[in-house]
Amino acid sequence: MMLGKIAVAAAAVCTLLFGSMKMHALEKSQSVGLVLSGGGAKGIAHIGVIKALEENDIPIDYISGTSMGAIVGGLYAAGYTTDEMMELIKSREFTDAASGKIDERYTYYFLRDANEPNLFTLNIGDKSSATSILPTSVINPIPMNFEFMALFSPFTAQCGGDFNKLFVPFRAVASDVTHKHKVVWSHGSLGEAIRSSMSFPLVFSPVQRDGALLYDGGIYDNFPVQVMTTEFAPSIIIGVDVSTPDSVTANPDMITQLSEMITQPGRGKLTPEQGIYIHINLSQFGLLDFAKADKISAIGYARAMEAMDSIKGRITARIPAMARNLRRDMFKSQTPYLRFDSITVTGASKKQNNYIRSYFTHFHSDTFGVASAASSYYRLAAPGKFRALDPTAVYNDSTGLFGLNLKASVKSDFTVGFGGYVSTTTSSMLYFSGAYKTLSYNSLSMGLSVWAGQSYLAGMLHSKVNFATSMPSALTLEVIGSRHKFYDSEKLFFEENQPSYVTSSEAFARLIYGFAPNHAGSVNAGVGIGYVGDRYYQTIRELPYLSRDNVKQTLAQAVVSYKSSTLNNNAYPTRGAEYTAVLMGVTGHRSVTHYAEADASHRTWAQLEASTRNYFTLNRYLSLGTEIGALISTRKLLHDYDQAVVDAPAFVPTPTSYDIFDPSLRANSFVTAGLVPVWRVSSMIQLRAACHAFMPYRPIYCGEWNRAFYGNRFSKMEFFGELTGVLSLPFANVSAFGHYSTSSAGGWHFGVSLGVFMPAPRFLRYR
């Protein structure tokens, strides 16, 4: 009985489908081609146009597209509905691919290179020309290569590489800049076709095909009407053009300037005899305004509905929604599932190829899906050792599975960097780095870093061995020396005639073993030995700059730390969170020389330091950050007041306060709290207001004969506030700031800075 009912239902569906398709065939006296222009994010309007056409039963028999038109047209040809296209374009995966960001869900924070204040980093290749050290594009191509492979490979397999066999026959237009002509993709890899069509020069890397470099199709044909007539010769064409008419844009950004220079919208013209031309005015939007997808699509829909009477008057053919949806469902039901059973790697040395392959075979079973492949792919790519890592999925008809082919272009083992922090305060410093990093099973990295400034001088040697374990782990040795001059108030960088108030010096070595407990975290345990010295003037006794006390400490330490971070920017975050906890035990010898007197003692203490930074996105323009910290120490109070405050850990809320010796912001134990509202004016400009409170557990005071004593618990609080305007450039941050503090070295201070402030690690404040 049940089988009989199923058979009847199936027959009814088939009858309905056949009847709808027969009615469509009878009504259809003409074929309809849809031409979609390029235009960056403006091309999202094509989705709104398609939605309007479908709602009015207008058939789409063929599609040709350029750039964003190729993306929308290719998705539709692959069976995507308009709702599915919008969901994809607004997805995190699409946004990350378009911006070159590797999805942190698939990577390990532990594997990221340590933050450095480099403005420029050059990979020193084997070639003698400059091309060996220059990047191929502004945006990292690795995320986009994988996402396009994962998205379109099943449809390439389904149609056998013949774009006529897709849900709707499709053509994508790219530009062969090697031979100076356009390329029309009618077969091959659907992902590579669309990827090449939207590869805007300098922004995205090109696709290589048959010895030629393929870039954005808009260079030679941004509105591929001729492609439609030559390839398909439909009865009538609907042409949708989102390009901006010739006009002068006030203060255009770099991408817009480049687009105006290279895009040739006039190559394709649609005459009234050929069909219906729909131009959509989107001049208020930029090429990269993907965040405004809903609004752009709605404008496209509205413009198509305005033209619908004209469209219906010219096009008599109709396809009922039920017939179209059933045919789409049948097409999708035949799409193979993307699952891999083999991995082949080329492009690197034999040893490196085997190492890359092991990332996919060692951590997975004989067959693995796209999520597992993404995890291995991004974990491999995260440390930045590849210029390119091009994945291709090859379908095996006999097994129904795919083989994953990777073509790797590995960077040289040697890199050099230059950067620093230039400010109107004494915090200015230059930075130089050199590194050697291998790509192998137990990869080795070594580096040298040098900081040089008026107030700060440091050098660091480090060596690290990464182990090929299921959870990433590594052993690191670092040797660091530094000298830091503090002043009793903020000085301009050119004031050379004032002596420093305190000069601190460090030299230490530390051996650390670390591992990743999860994707966002890092656990480290280490031991170290070092020298810490302080020289300072006894200004409290009203004998300024006559003599210096000299404190020397030889110390050993054991340290355990945990850190996790999802912050989108370490210096000026707007979203994400960071959690840090450091437990340290210290023991050693301390000696003091005061005038002609000398004193020596043994010291032992423990300290726990914890902090958290959380940034929440309130809306499109506003973020709110909270920063909370605490340091708890068993360090004993020294008898001499100057020695006590120099010995006490300092609270440094911003880079501009780093060189100021402020006794009011020093204590052996303290808590801090901060609130940081952020106004994101644009993708490059933000305004920040940082408000911090510092409360020592027991403040340090000066008594008779310069004796130090503790005040009451939590009896004092200092405030530090800073207003900052930040311009984020591809290579550095430019900021203008003004800050105020209630502390003894406080008041208002103003300045500007360029670069990234990031001094060397310290022995007693493990980062």
Side-chain angles (χ1 to χ4, degrees):
M1 179 69 72
M2 182 62 68
L3 291 176
K5 290 182 179 181
I6 293 175
V8 171
V13 171
C14 292
T15 301
L16 178 61
L17 176 59
F18 177 77
S20 297
M21 295 180 68
K22 182 178 180 181
M23 181 177 64
H24 169 53
L26 291 172
E27 292 181 352
K28 185 176 178 182
S29 58
Q30 59 198 158
S31 57
V32 181
L34 180 63
V35 177
L36 306 177
S37 78
K42 301 176 186 180
I44 298 172
H46 296 318
I47 301 175
V49 172
I50 293 173
K51 181 179 181 181
L53 295 176
E54 287 196 339
E55 286 182 356
N56 287 272
D57 296 337
I58 304 298
I60 300 173
D61 298 299
Y62 312 104
I63 294 183
S64 65
T66 293
S67 195
M68 192 62 191
I71 294 178
V72 174
L75 288 171
Y76 188 80
Y80 273 67
T81 66
T82 55
D83 288 343
E84 289 170 339
M85 283 190 271
M86 288 299 296
E87 182 181 357
L88 173 66
I89 286 174
K90 294 189 295 182
S91 69
R92 178 176 181 174
E93 290 78 9
F94 184 88
T95 302
D96 287 348
S99 61
K101 179 185 176 183
I102 294 178
D103 190 339
E104 58 268 351
R105 292 175 297 178
Y106 291 123
T107 63
Y108 287 91
Y109 171 76
F110 180 85
L111 291 176
R112 298 181 194 174
D113 287 337
N115 290 320
E116 294 183 272
N118 281 320
L119 300 181
F120 305 99
T121 301
L122 301 177
N123 189 250
I124 306 302
D126 298 327
K127 303 176 183 178
S128 58
S129 66
T131 57
S132 62
I133 60 176
L134 296 177
T136 59
S137 61
V138 173
I139 291 178
N140 179 10
I142 288 176
M144 183 172 290
N145 290 342
F146 185 87
E147 296 304 328
F148 271 58
M149 180 277 297
L151 182 63
F152 292 109
S153 290
F155 305 108
T156 300
Q158 183 177 0
C159 71
D162 183 355
F163 297 174
N164 288 332
K165 296 180 180 179
L166 291 167
F167 173 64
V168 173
F170 170 69
R171 297 293 183 267
V173 179
S175 297
D176 181 347
V177 299
T178 306
H179 303 101
K180 307 298 184 292
H181 62 77
K182 72 181 179 185
V183 172
V184 179
W185 285 81
S186 62
H187 61 278
S189 166
L190 182 61
E192 286 189 3
I194 297 172
R195 169 80 168 77
S196 65
S197 184
M198 51 74 62
S199 292
F200 200 75
L202 298 184
V203 179
F204 301 109
S205 62
V207 170
Q208 297 188 34
R209 186 194 191 200
D210 299 331
L213 297 178
L214 303 186
Y215 281 99
D216 193 294
I219 297 175
Y220 293 122
D221 191 354
N222 197 50
F223 190 42
V225 174
Q226 184 182 7
V227 172
M228 176 61 69
T229 58
T230 301
E231 293 286 319
F232 299 121
S235 305
I236 191 168
I237 296 173
I238 301 173
V240 186
D241 186 3
V242 298
S243 63
T244 303
D246 295 338
S247 61
V248 177
T249 303
N251 303 316
D253 57 40
M254 291 183 291
I255 302 300
T256 301
Q257 294 179 54
L258 188 60
S259 175
E260 292 294 333
M261 285 188 289
I262 69 171
T263 303
Q264 301 185 34
R267 281 298 180 94
K269 295 293 185 181
L270 182 61
T271 66
E273 292 76 19
Q274 291 176 307
I276 303 157
Y277 176 74
I278 301 175
H279 180 263
I280 304 176
N281 183 8
L282 296 162
S283 57
Q284 70 270 39
F285 300 101
L287 295 173
L288 300 179
D289 276 340
F290 290 99
K292 302 175 183 178
D294 286 326
K295 189 172 183 180
I296 295 172
S297 177
I299 292 174
Y301 176 84
R303 180 67 184 90
M305 292 302 292
E306 289 175 4
M308 194 54 64
D309 288 342
S310 176
I311 294 172
K312 288 182 175 180
R314 296 284 305 274
I315 299 175
T316 59
R318 297 290 184 270
I319 179 169
M322 182 175 293
R324 182 181 57 249
N325 292 337
L326 285 172
R327 193 169 72 85
R328 178 184 281 127
D329 291 342
M330 289 178 62
F331 176 84
K332 288 183 174 182
S333 69
Q334 299 171 21
T335 306
Y337 180 69
L338 186 60
R339 190 165 183 83
F340 303 97
D341 65 350
S342 64
I343 169 75
T344 303
V345 183
T346 59
S349 68
K350 182 178 180 181
K351 184 177 180 181
Q352 290 172 333
N353 287 341
N354 289 335
Y355 171 72
I356 295 170
R357 185 177 182 275
S358 72
Y359 258 72
F360 296 85
T361 59
H362 182 70
F363 301 119
H364 304 300
S365 59
D366 293 338
T367 62
F368 52 95
V370 68
S372 296
S375 176
S376 296
Y377 179 85
Y378 287 125
R379 175 178 171 179
L380 183 66
K385 275 294 293 179
F386 296 94
R387 286 192 184 89
L389 191 59
D390 299 332
T392 305
V394 180
Y395 187 60
N396 187 332
D397 290 321
S398 61
T399 64
L401 297 172
F402 290 80
L404 180 60
N405 294 346
L406 287 176
K407 184 178 180 182
S409 176
V410 182
K411 294 179 181 178
S412 168
D413 292 338
F414 296 94
T415 59
V416 294
F418 169 77
Y421 181 77
V422 180
S423 172
T424 52
T425 70
T426 54
S427 300
S428 296
M429 64 183 77
L430 297 178
Y431 177 76
F432 306 90
S433 68
Y436 170 81
K437 184 190 298 184
T438 64
L439 184 69
S440 59
Y441 285 98
N442 293 318
S443 59
L444 171 68
S445 63
M446 296 184 293
L448 168 66
S449 301
V450 177
W451 293 257
Q454 173 192 340
S455 303
Y456 189 75
L457 183 66
M460 178 172 70
L461 288 169
H462 66 88
S463 178
K464 182 177 182 180
V465 178
N466 288 292
F467 301 117
T469 51
S470 57
M471 298 296 287
S473 60
L475 185 66
T476 302
L477 174 65
E478 54 185 21
V479 180
I480 300 169
S482 66
R483 185 217 63 197
H484 186 192
K485 294 181 179 180
F486 294 91
Y487 298 88
D488 56 359
S489 63
E490 190 166 292
K491 310 286 185 183
L492 293 177
F493 67 93
F494 50 81
E495 293 185 4
E496 297 282 359
N497 58 333
Q498 295 292 331
S500 60
Y501 184 48
V502 177
T503 300
S504 294
S505 302
E506 292 186 351
F508 64 91
R510 190 155 47 202
L511 184 66
I512 306 160
Y513 174 76
F515 66 92
N518 49 47
H519 284 272
S522 173
V523 173
N524 293 281
V527 293
I529 186 169
Y531 161 84
V532 178
D534 296 298
R535 298 178 67 233
Y536 53 89
Y537 290 106
Q538 286 279 0
T539 59
I540 301 299
R541 299 181 180 179
E542 299 181 354
L543 296 172
Y545 312 130
L546 294 182
S547 64
R548 287 195 179 203
D549 285 1
N550 195 357
V551 178
K552 299 179 180 179
Q553 300 184 81
T554 303
L555 304 170
Q557 71 173 197
V559 59
V560 178
S561 72
Y562 171 80
K563 184 175 183 178
S564 68
S565 179
T566 57
L567 294 177
N568 62 332
N569 184 289
N570 189 63
Y572 299 108
T574 59
R575 60 178 171 83
E578 178 184 88
Y579 302 95
T580 304
V582 180
L583 178 63
M584 181 183 298
V586 183
T587 186
H589 182 267
R590 178 178 182 272
S591 64
V592 181
T593 301
H594 173 60
Y595 293 105
E597 302 174 359
D599 185 26
S601 61
H602 184 81
R603 310 186 71 191
T604 299
W605 78 89
Q607 70 183 40
L608 172 65
E609 186 169 8
S611 64
T612 175
R613 295 196 291 169
N614 287 272
Y615 281 80
F616 308 95
T617 301
L618 303 181
N619 57 39
R620 181 180 168 189
Y621 296 104
L622 297 177
S623 295
L624 181 64
T626 59
E627 300 188 358
I628 300 172
L631 189 150
I632 303 171
S633 173
T634 63
R635 188 185 315 218
K636 293 183 178 179
L637 180 67
L638 302 179
H639 298 301
D640 182 87
Y641 173 75
D642 293 287
Q643 293 178 25
V645 294
V646 169
D647 185 65
F651 171 56
V652 183
T654 64
T656 57
S657 59
Y658 189 71
D659 286 340
I660 303 173
F661 185 85
D662 191 343
S664 300
L665 297 180
R666 287 175 172 258
N668 288 330
S669 298
F670 57 81
V671 294
T672 66
L675 198 64
V676 188
V678 183
W679 178 26
R680 302 186 304 277
V681 181
S682 69
S683 59
M684 297 178 62
I685 300 174
Q686 58 177 271
L687 299 178
R688 306 174 67 90
C691 308
H692 293 276
F694 170 81
M695 182 176 290
Y697 173 62
R698 300 187 70 181
I700 302 173
Y701 292 110
C702 181
E704 293 184 355
W705 301 103
N706 208 49
R707 303 291 286 182
F709 69 93
Y710 277 135
N712 294 328
R713 293 175 177 85
F714 299 118
S715 60
K716 182 181 178 183
M717 183 173 68
E718 303 289 353
F719 169 81
F720 184 96
E722 182 171 274
L723 297 174
T724 310
V726 183
L727 173 64
S728 297
L729 301 175
F731 57 90
N733 296 314
V734 181
S735 65
F737 58 85
H739 66 239
Y740 175 81
S741 175
T742 59
S743 64
S744 57
W748 280 101
H749 300 279
F750 300 91
V752 295
S753 67
L754 167 69
V756 180
F757 181 81
M758 196 172 298
R762 298 180 60 189
F763 188 56
L764 297 177
R765 300 293 292 277
Y766 184 80
R767 71 179 186 189

